[in-house]
């Protein structure tokens, strides 16, 4: 399945050229994998530059943890964390997305040169669509059942694939109605956000159902707890090999981007998967 590319500012990510990678920079004290490691802006900038050098196509900077049970922070505190990092990475020539659900933070990040907004609440802030529509930035819309504080309290679906797909297509339609070009919209099924292990596995196995909606698709499995439960890996840093496998599978199923902590490992997996998919298409007469 040929992935749909995603446009963010002057950049085109993914598509027939292969899976793009979004490197993660968490400027937070409490993120599940790297909380506190990059709270200092200089450390965060250095890490973002390192991810870009390792092959990240863009760097995603976030200042509010969305791990299960996490508490929200104010827009001012979040902006204080992320805007200096965004500005420094942009100055270094690195494409940057901002991981925020707050229109106020998104507006400041776009003004600082970010090319995309990664909104895990899919426009819950009524001003977010207007902020993005007033720019040429890309927009990621993610599915989450509940809030970070409550999302892992007995998540339930009648049909997780259909419900996630329908929610995201509805949110994408709302973004288009607000004036955001559909080529700038990317959909994220929200692996680990209000889902059980079985829900996550089914969403990955049937990712094509979301890809067939015609929007670029982002997959974020990196170091997540479902991998730890499945493989008995308590330390998130030990889950990079498992993450790389999911990246390869996502590429094969038509994803446009993968959001990862370990860019070097994911790059190898993505390049191998892309080569295999291209060879399969060529041998099949280019019909897939």
């Amino acid at each position: 399945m040929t992935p749909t590319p995603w446009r963010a500012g002057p950049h085109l990510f993914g598509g027939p050229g292969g899976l793009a990678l979004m490197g993660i920079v968490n400027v937070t004290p409490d993120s599940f994998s790297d909380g506190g490691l990059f709270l200092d802006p200089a450390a965060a900038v250095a890490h973002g530059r390192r991810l870009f050098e390792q092959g990240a196509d863009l760097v995603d900077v976030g200042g509010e943890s969305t791990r299960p049970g996490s508490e929200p922070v104010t827009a001012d505190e979040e902006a204080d964390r992320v805007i200096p990092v965004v500005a420094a990475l942009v100055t270094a020539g690195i494409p940057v997305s901002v991981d925020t659900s707050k229109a106020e933070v998104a507006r400041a990040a776009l003004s600082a040169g970010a090319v995309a907004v990664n909104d895990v609440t899919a426009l819950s802030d009524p001003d977010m669509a207007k902020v993005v529509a007033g720019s040429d930035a890309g927009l990621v819309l993610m599915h989450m059942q509940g809030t970070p504080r409550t999302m892992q309290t007995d998540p339930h679906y009648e049909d997780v694939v259909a419900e996630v797909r329908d929610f995201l297509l509805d949110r994408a339609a709302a973004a288009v109605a607000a004036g955001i070009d559909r080529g700038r919209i990317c959909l994220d099924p929200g692996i680990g956000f209000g889902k059980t292990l079985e829900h996550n596995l089914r969403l990955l196995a049937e990712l094509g159902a979301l890809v067939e909606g015609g929007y670029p698709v982002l997959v974020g499995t990196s170091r997540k707890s479902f991998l730890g439960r499945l493989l008995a890996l308590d330390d998130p840093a030990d889950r990079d090999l498992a993450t790389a496998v999911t990246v390869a599978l996502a590429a094969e199923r038509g994803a446009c981007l993968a959001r990862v902590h370990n860019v070097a490992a994911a790059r190898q997996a993505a390049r191998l998967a892309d080569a295999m998919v291209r060879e399969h298409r060529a041998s099949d007469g280019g019909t897939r």
Side-chain angles (χ1 to χ4, degrees), residues 142-285:
M142 195 194 79
H143 176 276
M144 172 168 45
Q145 188 177 91
T147 68
R149 207 170 111 196
T150 65
M151 63 188 178
Q152 289 308 110
T153 303
D154 192 28
H156 176 76
Y157 302 86
E158 295 298 323
D159 183 335
V160 67
V161 174
E163 290 174 50
V164 168
R165 178 198 62 211
D166 292 349
F167 170 85
L168 289 174
L169 291 178
D170 176 76
R171 293 286 75 208
V176 170
I180 302 169
D181 182 80
R182 66 177 288 138
R184 292 162 50 200
I185 299 168
C186 187
L187 306 182
D188 178 351
I191 300 298
F193 284 81
K195 282 92 176 174
T196 65
L197 170 61
E198 292 74 18
H199 293 147
N200 292 323
L201 293 175
R202 188 168 169 220
L203 284 166
L204 289 171
E206 300 186 35
L207 192 65
L210 185 55
V211 173
E212 288 170 357
Y215 288 93
V217 171
L218 180 150
V219 171
T221 57
S222 188
R223 297 182 177 176
K224 289 191 172 173
S225 60
F226 83 100
L227 298 174
R229 288 196 296 274
L230 187 64
L231 302 172
L233 298 171
D234 293 334
D235 187 342
D238 290 337
R239 303 169 191 164
D240 286 340
L241 177 57
T243 298
V245 173
T246 65
V247 167
L249 292 172
E252 187 272 335
R253 285 162 171 74
C256 172
L257 296 103
R259 184 175 180 273
V260 297
H261 295 86
N262 188 328
V263 168
R267 174 59 66 193
Q268 291 183 19
R271 289 183 64 182
L272 177 58
D274 289 336
M276 293 174 67
V277 168
R278 283 195 300 272
E279 179 60 28
H280 179 61
R281 289 187 189 132
S283 65
D284 203 39

